[in-house]
Amino acid sequence: MVPDSPHPSESSHPSESSHPSESSHLFDSPHPSGRSRAALGRRAVLGAATGAAAAAAVALTPGTSAAAADARASSPAPARAAAPGTRRRPGALVGGGDLGPNVLVFDPATPNIQAKLDEVFRQQESAQFGTGRWALLFKPGTYRGLNAQIGFYTSIAGLGLSPDDTTLHGDVTVDAGWFNGNATQNFWRSAENLALYPANGTNRWAVAQAAPFRRMHVHGGLDLAPSGYGWASGGYIADSRIDGQVGPYSQQQWYTRDSAIGGWLNGVWNMVFSGVEGAPAQSFPNPPYTTLGTTPVSREKPFLYVNGSEFRVFLPEKRTNARGVTWGSGTPRGTSLPLTQFYVVRPGVSAATLNQALAQGLHLLLTPGIYHLDQPIRIDRPNTVVLGLGYATLVPDNGVTAVQVADVDGVRLAGFLVDAGPVNSATLLEIGPPGAAKDHSANPTTVQDVFVRIGGAGAGRATTSMVINSRHTLVDHTWVWRADHGTGVGWETNRADYGIVVNGDDVLATGLFVEHFNKYDVQWYGQRGRTIFFQNEKAYDAPDQAAVQDGPVRGYAAYKVGDNVTSHEGWGLGSYCYYNVAPTIVQDHGFAAPVRPGVRFHDLLVVSLGGNGQYAHVINDTGAPTSGTSTTPSTVVSYP
């Protein structure tokens, strides 16, 4: 159980400072209360309080102009080496190069590190829908006395092969002072590949969605709640070791994968573990722990590191029945690529240039910034890597799809945001063409920390956000979000009917967050699909019951398995409703699936937030209705 927290009130926000000018080459105790927590309101109620902060966000403009960027792309660059094994052609693009002004690279001798961290945080603390994008990279070594506060669209990472190569005696902090102690909107930020010795023994990481904590070693405890134990709604940990106790406190749901922890304090609604040494025993719903001993298939996210003076990208190998961290012996297993095999993308570069780079055999490293696309990024080559830094953001214009992946082995998409444009896109991200059927079990495509947003930063529309057609695809941590606050928000303004549609067989999702779609949030038509952890909220802004009527069924299910599916399994799935516009709306169920022995679910829950809308059942016609205004989960431990 967790403490009650006061409703936040609107307050002023810190002023934001000027753009740092440094180039990347310049920097070589458990809470005493046992009371239950009321979740009334959540982000819909809170959205109004952040409008001023969103409007006041400083617009930063990293990189170069479009004309200059494309000129850079097509002109010879003698200072850069061609990718090994390639022959330069006239007009050919070149791999490697500068990472741009919004990638700050530090080493232990860099002066005034704290001041630079603080400057970025001042700009990003409350810039929920701003244009600033930052990556803070630390070369291997020891750093002392730092507190890296991490704001919106900011990534902090070490540049070693192991987290223990880069040690911070200090903290990497996310708190919620900008939002009066409420952490439910602490989105879009990340920490990776660092060892921390927290100043007071416990590091605070109070986040919501799209805020991964990967390849981290905390020599102490980890607190997932904001100061004052206010509302919190997240989150995701993978490939990390926390020597002490993890305290979620007010976190409503959390997923931890392939890690090691010293202990876990409590649970609210939905705490899920797979392959975690030290995880609490299976006990859902009281306490609400869903625990799998291993993760069926996993492959960690690619990451940037340094080898001497050279940047490289490490590609971890696939694991089956994984448990614990990949770097326990110091060096992870996998392969690496030199930066010279990546086209280093800077803001202003056209989609045609990106596709030219891919056609030449280069991978893509997206530096922090916002990229408008007038045609899809087309990935046709096996084993292509597209890696984003600092929440690089792709915006498809004129209704195009942002990224299309062919039916090939081993593509790795990681670390970027897709923001829908004002002209409706049929799809935003397509993994494999329709009808894709090749076997990719030995070398699947992975989609990791790839986030999708429709509205919030401005009007956006998309019929379907993500379509997965390729077999064996691994979706490892995504947040697919139709915005409920910000600008360009309304039932028809940021219309988006479907979140994720899975047509491919043998797809595995680990850490699936999908929210607020006008119709189905997830539709799963492929055979032998599996999901470990699902977090969902139905769209707040449905105007009436008719708007969400699915034929004879009241309300579109959050997660629907197709009628022809004979094999499917899910663990630790939750759906919440907050129909604040029309509180009398009834959802017949949160989950819908054919009744077959091979279609199985474990540890399901639905919750009505303060009685704004209700669920009649949990899955199909099974499970008790939600309980008035009590915000108490209705659960099903096993189905059928």
Side-chain angles (χ1 to χ4, degrees):
M1 305 297 287
V2 292
D4 294 313
S5 52
H7 193 286
S9 59
E10 187 170 357
S11 67
S12 60
H13 301 285
S15 60
E16 286 145 332
S17 59
S18 61
H19 187 302
S21 60
E22 291 87 0
S23 161
S24 63
H25 283 260
L26 296 181
F27 306 121
D28 287 307
S29 73
H31 195 272
S33 170
R35 293 173 294 157
S36 65
R37 170 187 178 279
L40 176 61
R42 295 207 70 207
R43 291 197 292 270
V45 168
L46 310 177
T50 60
V58 172
L60 305 180
T61 311
T64 56
S65 69
D70 270 336
R72 175 185 71 85
S74 59
S75 63
R80 299 174 183 166
T86 63
R87 180 173 297 176
R88 287 288 304 280
R89 301 184 304 277
L93 303 176
V94 182
D98 184 85
L99 299 181
N102 284 43
V103 176
L104 306 185
V105 181
F106 305 103
D107 66 36
T110 302
N112 304 317
I113 295 176
Q114 186 66 56
K116 295 177 176 67
L117 299 176
D118 291 346
E119 187 175 6
V120 172
F121 181 65
R122 279 193 296 271
Q123 296 179 65
Q124 299 304 117
E125 179 184 12
S126 59
Q128 181 172 177
F129 297 111
T131 57
R133 303 289 186 271
W134 293 92
L136 311 173
L137 306 182
F138 287 76
K139 290 184 177 180
T142 300
Y143 302 78
R144 299 186 183 276
L146 296 179
N147 180 20
Q149 298 182 83
I150 306 301
F152 286 99
Y153 313 109
T154 304
S155 299
I156 186 170
L159 289 171
L161 271 177
S162 164
D164 290 328
D165 292 340
T166 310
T167 300
L168 271 62
H169 289 263
D171 296 87
V172 172
T173 301
V174 176
D175 207 341
W178 75 279
F179 200 30
N180 305 299
N182 186 312
T184 59
Q185 293 186 26
N186 282 348
F187 313 137
W188 304 306
R189 62 199 76 199
S190 66
E192 300 185 48
N193 207 27
L194 294 165
L196 303 179
Y197 287 85
N200 71 353
T202 300
N203 189 76
R204 185 179 304 280
W205 186 255
V207 297
Q209 287 75 31
F213 196 80
R214 288 184 181 267
R215 295 179 53 77
M216 297 289 286
H217 187 182
V218 180
H219 294 265
L222 186 64
D223 188 338
L224 303 179
S227 300
Y229 302 92
W231 293 333
S233 176
Y236 175 91
I237 294 171
D239 201 23
S240 293
R241 182 180 298 278
I242 293 91
D243 292 342
Q245 179 177 255
V246 179
Y249 299 102
S250 53
Q251 284 286 354
Q252 292 159 332
Q253 66 279 318
W254 198 275
Y255 176 50
T256 307
R257 178 183 63 71
D258 297 355
S259 293
I261 59 177
W264 192 272
L265 178 64
N266 72 295
V268 179
W269 291 339
N270 190 22
M271 306 280 118
V272 180
F273 309 84
S274 68
V276 178
E277 298 168 355
Q282 169 72 31
S283 58
F284 187 90
N286 187 25
Y289 298 148
T290 298
T291 302
L292 288 74
T294 61
T295 304
V297 184
S298 60
R299 188 172 68 189
E300 299 304 327
K301 177 184 172 185
F303 61 92
L304 195 66
Y305 74 104
V306 292
N307 180 23
S309 61
E310 177 192 26
F311 279 113
R312 298 183 68 89
V313 173
F314 193 82
L315 307 177
E317 69 176 19
K318 187 189 75 164
R319 298 199 291 171
T320 56
N321 299 317
R323 182 173 173 85
V325 301
T326 63
W327 45 271
S329 60
T331 302
R333 297 176 64 89
T335 58
S336 72
L337 297 169
L339 195 63
T340 52
Q341 291 188 20
F342 285 77
Y343 181 66
V344 177
V345 187
R346 298 275 293 276
V349 170
S350 68
T353 298
L354 302 184
N355 285 325
Q356 180 187 348
L358 291 167
Q360 282 183 209
L362 293 169
H363 308 276
L364 299 181
L365 184 74
L366 306 171
T367 66
I370 297 174
Y371 301 85
H372 283 266
L373 306 173
D374 60 0
Q375 60 180 272
I377 298 173
R378 295 183 175 89
I379 301 169
D380 298 324
R381 191 179 75 256
N383 303 310
T384 298
V385 180
V386 178
L387 176 61
L389 302 179
Y391 285 80
T393 301
L394 307 177
V395 183
D397 294 328
N398 302 318
V400 303
T401 299
V403 180
Q404 292 179 323
V405 181
D407 193 17
V408 295
D409 271 357
V411 172
R412 303 185 196 224
L413 306 179
F416 58 88
L417 173 64
V418 178
D419 214 349
V423 177
N424 186 74
S425 293
T427 60
L428 294 173
L429 181 65
E430 184 182 79
I431 309 300
K438 294 181 181 177
D439 187 322
H440 302 295
S441 56
N443 186 14
T445 285
T446 48
V447 181
Q448 299 176 287
D449 300 349
V450 173
F451 308 117
V452 178
R453 178 173 66 192
I454 300 96
R461 296 171 65 92
T463 303
T464 304
S465 292
M466 186 185 303
V467 177
I468 301 170
N469 295 315
S470 287
R471 293 182 62 194
H472 303 101
T473 299
L474 298 179
V475 181
D476 176 44
H477 190 225
T478 188
W479 184 38
V480 181
W481 185 57
R482 176 182 167 265
D484 61 278
H485 63 273
T487 60
V489 171
W491 184 250
E492 295 295 343
T493 305
N494 61 328
R495 181 86 194 187
D497 283 350
Y498 309 110
I500 294 181
V501 176
V502 180
N503 296 314
D505 294 340
D506 307 291
V507 171
L508 171 63
T510 52
L512 189 61
F513 299 74
V514 188
E515 296 190 299
H516 303 158
F517 286 85
N518 295 74
K519 292 185 179 180
Y520 292 112
D521 298 279
V522 172
Q523 296 175 94
W524 205 300
Y525 299 111
Q527 300 288 352
R528 297 176 298 280
R530 293 174 290 184
T531 295
I532 304 173
F533 185 89
F534 172 68
Q535 186 270 326
N536 166 263
E537 285 181 343
K538 294 303 299 174
Y540 292 175
D541 54 346
D544 50 40
Q545 184 77 53
V548 293
Q549 194 72 11
D550 182 17
V553 179
R554 295 175 297 176
Y556 289 89
Y559 187 109
K560 178 178 172 60
V561 179
D563 293 341
N564 295 325
V565 172
T566 58
S567 177
H568 187 92
E569 196 160 10
W571 298 262
L573 283 67
S575 178
Y576 324 138
C577 72
Y578 182 74
Y579 288 116
N580 63 321
V581 174
T584 60
I585 288 176
V586 174
Q587 285 272 140
D588 274 343
H589 42 237
F591 302 90
V595 183
R596 292 193 177 97
V599 179
R600 302 186 298 272
F601 289 91
H602 315 272
D603 301 357
L604 300 172
L605 68 95
V606 295
V607 180
S608 168
L609 303 182
N612 289 273
Q614 298 289 346
Y615 292 91
H617 302 284
V618 179
I619 179 168
N620 294 344
D621 296 325
T622 298
T626 49
S627 303
T629 61
S630 67
T631 311
T632 301
S634 178
T635 62
V636 168
V637 174
S638 181
Y639 184 87

